Amino acid sequence: MGKPTDSSVDRRGFIKQAVTGTAALTSMSSVAAAQATAPQPPASNPQENTSRESDVLTQGTSGSDYMLDVMKSLSLDYVCLNPGSSFRGLHESVVNYGGNRAPEMITCCHEESSVAMAHGYFKIEGKPLAVFAHGTVGLQHAAMAIYNAYCDRVPVYIVLGNTLDATMRQQGFEWMHSVQDAAAMVRDYVKWDDTPASLPHFGESAVRAYKIAMTPPFGPVVIVADTELQELPIPEHLNLRVPKLTLASPPQGDSGAVAELARLLVAATSPVLVADKLARTPAGMQHLIELAELLQAAVISQNGRMNFPSHHPLNQTMRSEAVVADADMILALEATNIFGVVNAFRDQLHRTSRPLTKAGVKLASITAGDLYLKSNYQDFQRYPEVDLAIAADAEATLPSLIETVKRLITDDRRRAYQERGARLAAASRTALDRARADAGYAWDSTPISTARAAAELWAHIRTEDWSLVSSAVGPSSAGWSAWPLRLWKFEKSYHHIGSTGAAGIGYGAPATVGAALANRKYGRLSVSIQNDGDLMYGPGALWTAAHHKIPLLIIMNNNRAYHEEVMHLQRMSSRRNRGVDRAGVGTTLDGPAIDFAKLAQGLGVDAQGPISTPADLGPAIKRAIEVVKRGEPALVDVVMQPR
Amino acid sequence: MTTTNATGSMAHQQIRSTEKPHRVRATMLLAIVVGALAWPPRANPQSPPPGNAEEGRQLFVRKGCYQCHGREGQGSPTTGPRLGPEPLPLAAFVRLVRTPRAQMPPYTEKVVSDSELADIRAFLETRPRAATIDALVPK
């Protein structure tokens, strides 16, 4: 029999184990000794309120009443929420202490809907809404919508419930619904956050958050409302007051840089003004019209906002490549993607780009984006190689630029401008006429063409005070391949609400409901072109519209697919020589086809469809508008061509 | 009718070859007669390029052309230009599909054959002209 090996320990190992073991025993003994000599706590933690005095079961004041007082001072019209126990104190304060007015509660079926509703509301009203959510699961639901708002530079005022003191958490789910640093998860894409430790701290941070959110560039903010602060009475020693809010005036461009920019614009032969998220108020569009008409310059709107009338003779958006190619001076106004303006990108096996501009073109930018940038999420696009960069809010800077331009224009330049303007107007008329002619193709086709649908809808809304509350632009099918921008006359600041921000799907339905909520008090006819895939992310937004009687005409763009992805699959399959017949696998919403009319009806919304014959569309829209004019949402499910 | 798989054009030919023998013979006879009548070939610029429009209609969907250009080839301002009812000459049409200049994915012979492209072009040529939209969209 040989020596045992498995359990044997060599000398060195034995000594090491012995030493380690002794040390551990010594350590445990010392801890035990220290514990034994430490002052012993009473049988229960005094904070856990087991004494007779703490059997007081009602209260005269509540921390959340003060929190609401602060929020009321910020003129928040509504608070969107999906109810949650971590903000039950605040919830009760809004309902009873605040009388459910300013803010009034809007019941949402998902936190993503809550934030997207606030996003859409701001795009019409120019004011943020509040959102209440759990600091954990609620915020996790809300995250994508917050990112959309962040990329779109839209303020959303988010209040999160959380129980920081672990000894105050009820066993079970309250632990899963509590977090050490609630805002950490979204800190990369909110403008500011704080976790106040007292009610006075809450007051200051809540007002500060609003100020930060509403200073260009706008952005979402987060305040954590601790449950103990919400629910306990206000300590008697506190002399609480609501801090004064003074909004910061938006940053304007340096006067020297503005003068240099004016000189470049006045001297240019073919200046082009490119606007994306420029018009943050109705004044933005008026300023751009004034500058464009003063210079008789071409305007391209990237439609992040309603920047410029679609049928203005200087609007050259439909022929943007042509005017960029001809330009000797380009001014980008709150345009993130300047590289994309002056370059064409080709998505083939080897991705390439080529300049669209001629040699010697001067590029300038005015954007508050230069004042605020984060690293992780890459929404800032390619580095813009401009000749003059003005780090300022473009809308706030335009008045001084206009005045400087006026002073520099000579009579000779003015005559040249008139000739330039006439040429641009003629080109614009030609482009619009061509668009009208193109819209007539596939007129009687089934499924219905995007152009026919746009024309049918326009015929019914053009005499109304209408507002397109869905995205009118972008690479996706939102906005029916941009036909509305070609056929409809967009003239007023609320005629469309711009882009989604990050193109995160699920924005569409709740954002349109939020924008329609803002339009309601003005009596406008809110119109939404609703993508089918988007609606399936959060159909509960329809219920919210029905429940709160938000008038909204919803025309389904039902192409029964995530069609952008169909095209991506097609591109990959073609590139790899494998045929395109399976591009529908994993990308289509068919088999069974979704009956959106039944879905909407089940959620309390008047609905018709599916409609796939062009002749049936007009009468259905007419009937739906009658319902909307009674103050309710109505949906028409239209089976559409993909593009 | 044909169904496609990853090698769409091959499947197309295979299924054609499963036609009943007497139908194949009749088709061949017809082709010979038509060919004889047409001989010698004339260089008539007015004569339509070869292609079966009905086949083309189905290929236009099956090969995914409609995804960017619409069911009638009417085009979309955001994804692809109008293709009919005056399509490019066949040679240029084939060249563009094989080696697109801009964003269009390339379609090789393996994915869509020349004869299928001729069918597709024939379909595009038969598309109706534009309706006037003035009644719905006044200027």
Side-chain angles (χ1 to χ4, degrees), chain A residues 142-443:
Chain A
M144 191 282 294
I146 295 172
Y147 186 56
N148 268 341
Y150 172 79
C151 292
D152 203 21
R153 296 185 190 166
V154 165
V156 180
Y157 194 87
I158 302 161
V159 180
L160 302 176
N162 186 45
T163 306
L164 197 57
D165 185 343
T167 64
M168 289 294 108
R169 294 174 196 154
Q170 191 166 218
Q171 299 87 338
F173 288 119
E174 277 193 16
W175 279 80
M176 273 78 93
H177 288 179
S178 296
V179 55
Q180 207 177 51
D181 181 5
M185 192 181 85
V186 295
R187 191 160 288 138
D188 271 328
Y189 43 93
V190 296
K191 200 173 171 195
W192 191 72
D193 72 87
D194 198 18
T195 303
S198 68
L199 290 174
H201 185 176
F202 181 92
E204 286 194 14
S205 291
V207 174
R208 189 196 302 271
Y210 189 93
K211 179 178 180 177
I212 291 170
M214 289 297 288
T215 302
F218 300 148
V221 290
V222 168
I223 290 293
V224 180
D226 188 83
T227 53
E228 291 294 287
L229 290 181
Q230 289 179 55
E231 296 189 13
L232 289 177
I234 298 170
E236 285 183 8
H237 69 277
L238 288 181
N239 183 20
L240 291 174
R241 62 181 189 85
V242 175
K244 183 171 76 174
L245 170 69
T246 304
L247 289 178
S249 59
Q252 295 185 34
D254 164 74
S255 58
V258 169
E260 172 64 7
L261 176 59
R263 191 189 63 73
L264 288 168
L265 286 169
V266 169
T269 303
S270 301
V272 176
L273 310 175
V274 181
D276 188 8
K277 295 181 178 71
L278 166 67
R280 54 178 174 73
T281 76
M285 182 165 69
Q286 297 310 316
H287 294 328
L288 183 57
I289 292 171
E290 187 176 0
L291 180 64
E293 291 181 350
L294 201 55
L295 293 163
Q296 291 296 302
V299 175
I300 297 170
S301 178
Q302 296 180 310
N303 292 309
R305 300 288 185 273
M306 177 62 212
N307 293 312
F308 202 68
S310 62
H311 283 47
H312 191 287
L314 295 170
N315 192 329
Q316 306 293 310
T317 305
M318 276 194 286
R319 42 188 310 275
S320 58
E321 282 202 17
V323 292
V324 166
D326 188 46
D328 58 349
M329 168 70 205
I330 298 174
L331 170 60
L333 300 161
E334 300 295 354
T336 312
N337 188 11
I338 296 173
F339 181 90
V341 171
V342 296
N343 288 280
F345 186 83
R346 190 165 184 248
D347 183 14
Q348 295 289 5
L349 180 57
H350 300 288
R351 290 182 147 194
T352 56
S353 56
R354 64 179 171 81
L356 294 170
T357 49
K358 61 188 179 188
V361 63
K362 295 283 184 196
L363 293 178
S365 66
I366 310 176
T367 176
D370 278 348
L371 297 167
Y372 182 79
L373 212 60
K374 290 193 179 187
S375 307
N376 195 16
Y377 286 84
Q378 306 274 302
D379 63 306
F380 38 76
Q381 308 280 336
R382 287 284 291 269
Y383 174 71
E385 294 185 60
V386 297
D387 300 283
L388 179 62
I390 300 179
D393 177 66
E395 181 177 310
T397 304
L398 280 181
S400 61
L401 177 63
I402 289 166
E403 291 309 310
T404 314
V405 165
K406 280 180 182 172
R407 287 197 295 273
L408 294 176
I409 294 177
T410 62
D411 288 344
D412 281 351
R413 296 305 299 151
R414 198 168 283 114
R415 277 191 291 276
Y417 294 171
Q418 294 312 315
E419 289 171 17
R420 180 164 73 206
R423 284 197 303 276
L424 289 170
S428 173
R429 269 196 307 276
T430 303
L432 285 168
D433 287 347
R434 191 178 304 124
R436 291 173 59 83
D438 285 346
Y441 288 96
W443 193 247

Side-chain angles (χ1 to χ4, degrees), chain A residues 345-348 433 436-438 440-443 445 449 455-456 458-459 462 481 483 486-487 489 563 566-567 570-571 574 577-582 641-643, chain B residues 4-6 62-64 66-68 70-72 74 76-79 82 85 100-108 110-111 128 130-131 133-134 136-139:
Chain A
F345 186 83
R346 190 165 184 248
D347 183 14
Q348 295 289 5
D433 287 347
R436 291 173 59 83
D438 285 346
Y441 288 96
W443 193 247
S445 177
S449 75
E456 293 283 351
W458 177 240
R462 64 186 172 81
S481 297
W483 279 113
R486 288 166 158 74
L487 302 179
K489 287 185 178 168
H563 192 75
V566 175
M567 293 191 293
Q570 202 171 354
R571 179 174 298 281
S574 295
N577 254 327
R578 292 170 176 162
V580 297
D581 53 311
R582 286 192 292 274
Q641 295 205 23
R643 286 290 184 269
Chain B
T4 53
N5 57 21
R62 215 164 55 234
K63 299 295 181 184
Y66 81 103
Q67 307 279 14
C68 298
R71 292 260 175 183
E72 305 288 329
Q74 74 270 22
S76 156
T78 54
T79 51
R82 181 165 61 82
R101 286 168 302 193
Q103 299 287 7
M104 181 172 155
Y107 286 74
T108 65
K110 188 178 172 186
V111 174
I133 69 167
D134 290 352
L136 285 181
V137 188
K139 276 195 176 181

Side-chain angles (χ1 to χ4, degrees), chain A residues 35-152:
Chain A
Q35 287 272 295
T37 57
Q40 293 300 305
S44 59
N45 188 331
Q47 289 182 33
E48 290 176 5
N49 294 333
T50 55
S51 68
R52 181 169 293 277
E53 289 77 13
S54 68
D55 281 347
V56 175
L57 298 177
T58 59
Q59 60 196 82
T61 64
S62 302
S64 57
D65 289 352
Y66 168 72
M67 293 176 175
L68 183 62
D69 284 338
V70 176
M71 282 189 262
K72 277 181 172 288
S73 79
L74 304 175
S75 185
L76 298 160
D77 296 335
Y78 298 96
V79 52
C80 302
L81 62 83
N82 184 255
S85 57
S86 65
F87 51 90
R88 64 185 186 177
L90 258 173
H91 190 146
E92 194 275 340
S93 289
V94 172
V95 172
N96 290 321
Y97 176 71
N100 198 23
R101 286 190 300 277
E104 176 188 341
M105 285 204 167
I106 301 290
T107 312
C108 298
C109 301
H110 194 291
E111 289 82 354
E112 187 175 285
S113 295
S114 302
V115 175
M117 268 197 75
H119 189 162
Y121 186 90
F122 178 84
K123 297 295 267 295
I124 290 292
E125 191 64 4
K127 284 173 66 180
L129 290 191
V131 169
F132 290 172
H134 273 307
T136 51
V137 290
L139 184 61
Q140 287 158 5
H141 276 310
M144 191 282 294
I146 295 172
Y147 186 56
N148 268 341
Y150 172 79
C151 292
D152 203 21

Side-chain angles (χ1 to χ4, degrees), chain B residues 10 14 37 47 64 70 73 83 87 101 107 112 129-130 132 138-139:
Chain B
M10 289 173 68
Q14 283 165 359
L37 291 174
S47 65
L83 303 176
R101 286 168 302 193
Y107 286 74
V112 55
R129 300 206 165 271
T132 178
K139 276 195 176 181

Side-chain angles (χ1 to χ4, degrees), chain A residues 5-21:
Chain A
T5 53
D6 289 348
S7 60
S8 68
V9 178
D10 63 21
R11 180 180 159 77
R12 180 173 294 183
F14 174 80
I15 292 171
K16 185 178 177 186
Q17 280 190 11
V19 168
T20 308

